[in-house]
Amino acid sequence: MRDNRPVNESQDTSVDIEENAARTHERGSRLYPRVTSFRSRRGALTEAQQSTWDNLWPRIGRDVADEQIDIDAWFGRSGPAILEIGSGTGTATTAMALAEPHVNLMAVEVYRPGLAQTLQQIEREGIENIRLLRGDAMDVLENMLSSESLTGVRVFFPDPWPKVRHHKRRLLQGPTFAMIADRLKPGGVLHVATDHAEYAEWIAEAGNAEPGLTVLDWESPMTHERPVTKFEGKAQLVGSSVTELIWGKKTA
């Protein structure tokens, strides 16, 4: 999810994401005043990416909106539902979907070229258990998912917004943990990974303070094995260690 992607200033279709964000600011969030945790980026699709997009997006993708998702109907089957927030170019998304064919995996991302690359991987691998959402993850959590509708939530390498004045933009804060806890089924799991030491402490403190969650060890109802992405590989080369944080939704 970390914004390590190149900026392409060619005019692109990401403009509508910015317009949607502006409209969200106007109407206000039902959770807390909207401060986005991402940077808007523009990037043009290649001809091949556009072709794949035109072919697959109408069936397995949708833009974020206010309507709730009927998850079983969208996948055409019932199964454990997992939401990945900030899927980037889809490296982890597709690998974990292949490792968990019984799971209905929804991935939300704002960056259209990243989604296009994910679609290309889905097409190459013939993956059937991924659905994609384009827009703000908080809108998905607030407006598109019902209470106790998810088996798991994954947040890998969220932007740490390291400057103190930008901490308000951090995704993983108290209200977000409360929302995720509500959307998880009893026994459901939240898995977070970050290579930013200070943000890891921030995340741990906020997550541990959420009364609906309890700290788990590595064992849980979903896999936590992640492929090492190019971004993570670069972080390891410069000596950055990765912190994995896992919580479970408390049962009655």
Side-chain angles (χ1 to χ4, degrees):
M1 182 176 174
R2 178 85 66 77
D3 190 0
N4 62 313
R5 297 158 299 214
V7 179
N8 183 333
E9 291 302 335
S10 58
Q11 295 303 309
D12 163 63
T13 57
S14 289
V15 172
D16 59 340
I17 291 292
E18 297 171 7
E19 292 174 348
N20 288 341
R23 286 194 290 271
T24 300
H25 278 292
E26 289 173 2
R27 72 171 184 264
S29 166
R30 285 183 282 275
L31 180 59
Y32 53 81
R34 173 72 73 240
V35 179
T36 58
S37 61
F38 55 86
R39 299 182 182 93
S40 296
R41 285 291 183 264
R42 302 180 183 184
L45 301 189
T46 66
E47 185 175 342
Q49 288 173 340
Q50 186 65 57
S51 176
T52 302
W53 186 283
D54 293 341
N55 182 42
L56 290 184
W57 186 260
R59 180 172 67 88
I60 67 173
R62 63 177 62 178
D63 289 326
V64 171
D66 288 338
E67 295 79 18
Q68 278 201 356
I69 301 170
D70 184 332
I71 299 174
D72 289 352
W74 197 14
F75 282 85
R77 67 176 191 176
S78 61
I82 294 178
L83 178 71
E84 181 184 357
I85 296 176
S87 54
T89 58
T91 301
T93 310
T94 52
M96 298 182 92
L98 286 168
E100 302 172 304
H102 64 292
V103 164
N104 293 337
L105 178 56
M106 296 176 289
V108 57
E109 172 61 46
V110 298
Y111 187 59
R112 188 169 182 255
L115 289 167
Q117 290 183 55
T118 306
L119 287 170
Q120 289 181 309
Q121 294 175 70
I122 289 171
E123 187 174 54
R124 282 195 301 268
E125 300 290 342
I127 301 171
E128 294 294 336
N129 61 322
I130 295 176
R131 299 294 183 267
L132 301 176
L133 291 156
R134 182 183 177 214
D136 188 343
M138 287 310 304
D139 282 334
V140 175
L141 287 167
E142 288 183 61
N143 307 324
M144 303 187 77
L145 298 172
S146 59
S147 294
E148 300 189 354
S149 59
L150 298 174
T151 298
V153 175
R154 291 171 173 147
V155 188
F156 298 151
F157 304 100
D159 195 317
W161 293 101
K163 295 180 180 179
V164 173
R165 68 176 182 272
H166 292 156
H167 283 184
K168 62 185 177 182
R169 292 186 176 275
R170 288 179 166 178
L171 173 68
L172 293 171
Q173 306 197 38
T176 310
F177 278 101
M179 178 63 69
I180 290 173
D182 178 80
R183 296 316 189 234
L184 287 172
K185 296 179 178 180
V189 177
L190 168 61
H191 179 195
V192 180
T194 179
D195 68 324
H196 192 279
E198 185 272 329
Y199 194 21
E201 294 179 1
W202 167 294
I203 293 169
E205 182 178 355
N208 294 343
E210 169 49 47
L213 299 175
T214 186
V215 176
L216 298 180
D217 59 20
W218 197 248
E219 297 298 324
S220 84
M222 67 182 191
T223 183
H224 303 302
E225 299 296 336
R226 299 180 295 101
V228 177
T229 63
K230 290 181 180 179
F231 167 73
E232 186 175 350
K234 290 179 181 178
Q236 291 175 351
L237 286 175
V238 299
S240 298
S241 61
V242 174
T243 300
E244 309 268 359
L245 299 156
I246 304 172
W247 289 271
K249 169 78 172 280
K250 291 181 179 178
T251 56

